[in-house]
C-alpha cells in the first residue's frame, strides 16, 4: 500500500472566512505545510453571491499558501457550507428465498439499486458521500457481512449526503476560474466527526457539534458508522447580534 502522497490542498469556504491548508502524507505521517485564512467575499449564507469576487478571494488565498511553501497545487478538495448539503437515510430489501447470500447478486445489487433509486428520486442532485450501514437477514438479524449465510430476506440500510447539481457546478466553476481542478466536494461535519471518533475509538457513540459564523451542524458516529448529520442556519453571528440588542450594547 502506498503511504506517500503529493501535497494536497483543502479549501473551507465559509460566509465569514476562507481557510486553506496544504498538507502531505509520508510514511503514514500527516504534516501541514501551510495554512492561510482571509475574509470571505462573494458568498452569503453559504451560497455564492458573486462568482468573480469569490474566485478572486480564493485565488489570492491559495497563491499566498503556494508562495509560502514554494509548492504549486494542481487540484484541491472543497468544503462548502453544510447549508448546501442534505442528509437522507433509507433501507432496501430483497427476497433471497432460503439460499446463500451472494455478494455480487445480493449485496452489491442492493447498493446499486439504492443509488439508482436515489438518483431517480433526486434527478437534480449529486451524491457527495455514500455510507453503507447495517445489513440484516430475515428481518431482525444484524450482520456485518451476510455473504454466504442462508436467509429468506436481506435488508441493507444506506445514508447519503448530497447537494444540488447546480450548486456543485458553481463551486467547481469558482475553482476552475482560479486555474485549479476541484478533486471532490467534502461534507465538513462528516470529516470533523470522523476525527472526533478516531480520537475516541472506545466510544460506542460520538456526537460532534460545530458552531460556525452563520450555521451550526451536528454529526454522529456510532459503532464505526456515520449515522446522522444535520445543520441549522443559526451561528455565532446571530447570538452576538441578539446579545448586543438585548443588552443595548454596540455590536463591536
Amino acid at each position: 500500500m502506498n503511504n506517500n502522497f503529493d501535497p494536497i490542498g483543502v479549501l473551507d469556504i465559509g460566509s465569514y472566512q476562507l481557510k486553506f491548508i496544504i498538507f502531505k502524507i509520508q510514511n503514514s505521517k500527516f504534516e501541514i505545510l501551510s495554512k492561510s485564512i482571509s475574509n470571505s467575499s462573494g458568498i452569503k449564507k453559504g451560497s455564492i453571491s458573486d462568482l468573480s469576487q469569490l474566485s478572486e478571494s480564493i485565488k489570492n488565498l491559495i497563491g499566498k499558501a503556494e508562495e509560502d511553501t514554494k509548492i504549486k497545487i494542481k487540484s484541491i478538495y472543497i468544503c462548502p457550507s453544510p447549508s448546501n448539503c442534505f442528509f437522507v437515510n433509507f433501507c432496501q430489501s430483497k427476497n433471497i428465498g432460503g439460499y446463500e447470500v451472494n455478494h455480487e447478486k445480493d449485496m452489491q445489487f442492493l447498493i446499486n439499486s439504492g443509488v439508482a433509486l436515489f438518483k431517480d428520486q433526486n434527478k437534480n442532485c449529486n451524491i457527495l458521500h455514500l455510507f453503507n450501514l447495517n445489513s440484516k437477514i430475515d428481518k431482525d438479524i444484524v450482520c456485518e457481512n451476510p455473504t454466504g449465510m442462508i436467509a429468506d430476506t436481506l435488508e441493507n440500510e444506506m445514508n447519503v449526503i448530497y447537494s444540488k447539481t447546480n450548486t456543485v457546478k458553481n463551486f467547481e466553476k469558482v475553482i476552475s476560474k482560479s486555474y485549479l481542478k476541484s478533486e471532490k466536494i467534502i461534507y465538513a461535519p462528516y470529516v470533523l466527526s470522523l476525527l472526533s471518533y478516531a480520537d475516541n475509538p472506545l466510544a460506542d457513540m460520538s456526537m460532534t457539534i460545530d458552531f460556525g459564523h452563520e450555521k451550526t451542524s451536528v454529526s454522529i458516529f456510532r459503532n464505526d458508522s456515520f449515522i446522522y448529520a444535520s445543520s441549522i442556519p443559526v451561528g455565532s453571528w446571530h447570538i452576538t447580534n441578539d446579545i448586543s440588542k438585548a443588552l443595548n450594547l454596540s455590536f463591536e
Side-chain angles (χ1 to χ4, degrees):
M1 180 179 176
N2 181 17
N3 292 319
N4 299 328
F5 297 89
D6 292 333
I8 303 167
V10 179
L11 175 67
D12 180 11
I13 304 177
S15 297
Y16 176 61
Q17 287 183 327
L18 298 174
K19 302 174 185 177
F20 182 70
I21 67 168
I22 299 175
F23 71 94
K24 69 176 181 178
I25 300 174
Q26 189 165 7
N27 298 324
S28 299
K29 292 184 178 180
F30 178 91
E31 180 185 356
I32 294 179
L33 304 176
S34 175
K35 56 183 178 181
S36 51
I37 300 174
S38 69
N39 291 332
S40 301
S41 61
I43 188 164
K44 291 182 179 179
K45 296 182 178 180
S47 298
I48 300 172
S49 58
D50 189 309
L51 203 69
S52 297
Q53 280 187 11
L54 180 58
S55 179
E56 190 65 25
S57 297
I58 292 173
K59 191 187 301 183
N60 292 336
L61 181 69
I62 295 176
K64 183 180 182 303
E66 289 179 328
E67 185 178 337
D68 291 342
T69 57
K70 309 302 181 186
I71 295 174
K72 195 72 175 176
I73 296 295
K74 296 180 180 179
S75 59
I76 63 174
Y77 292 86
I78 312 171
C79 297
S81 169
S83 59
N84 293 294
C85 304
F86 309 93
F87 177 90
V88 65
N89 169 275
F90 58 95
C91 181
Q92 286 194 293
S93 63
K94 182 182 180 183
N95 182 25
I96 305 299
Y99 292 97
E100 289 186 1
V101 176
N102 179 276
H103 179 76
E104 290 296 328
K105 293 181 179 179
D106 302 315
M107 291 294 297
Q108 195 61 46
F109 170 82
L110 284 180
I111 295 173
N112 295 341
S113 177
V115 171
L117 176 64
F118 173 85
K119 289 182 176 180
D120 184 61
Q121 298 296 318
N122 302 273
K123 296 184 184 297
N124 298 319
C125 296
N126 280 26
I127 295 176
L128 303 183
H129 301 285
L130 175 67
F131 305 96
N132 192 38
L133 300 178
N134 297 327
S135 294
K136 291 182 180 180
I137 60 173
D138 297 338
K139 303 295 183 182
D140 59 358
I141 303 175
V142 179
C143 301
E144 291 185 7
N145 182 12
T147 300
M149 300 183 70
I150 297 173
D152 291 321
T153 62
L154 174 67
E155 294 180 1
N156 189 58
E157 185 181 3
M158 299 172 64
N159 285 343
V160 173
I161 295 176
Y162 65 99
S163 183
K164 293 181 179 178
T165 300
N166 287 342
T167 299
V168 172
K169 287 182 178 179
N170 283 329
F171 276 110
E172 289 176 343
K173 188 172 183 179
V174 163
I175 301 305
S176 67
K177 285 174 70 69
S178 303
Y179 307 103
L180 293 166
K181 176 188 175 185
S182 169
E183 195 70 34
K184 181 176 175 60
I185 291 181
I186 299 172
Y187 184 62
Y190 162 63
V191 179
L192 286 174
S193 63
L194 179 61
L195 291 172
S196 298
Y197 191 75
D199 287 339
N200 298 276
L202 299 180
D204 293 332
M205 184 177 293
S206 174
M207 173 186 287
T208 303
I209 303 176
D210 177 26
F211 295 99
H213 183 63
E214 291 183 339
K215 54 78 187 170
T216 299
S217 62
V218 174
S219 46
I220 301 176
F221 257 85
R222 183 179 66 196
N223 297 330
D224 295 328
S225 296
F226 186 68
I227 65 168
Y228 182 76
S230 184
S231 178
I232 59 172
V234 177
S236 59
W237 181 88
H238 301 89
I239 297 171
T240 305
N241 189 53
D242 287 351
I243 290 174
S244 69
K245 289 180 179 179
L247 300 181
N248 197 26
L249 298 171
S250 69
F251 188 85
E252 290 73 18

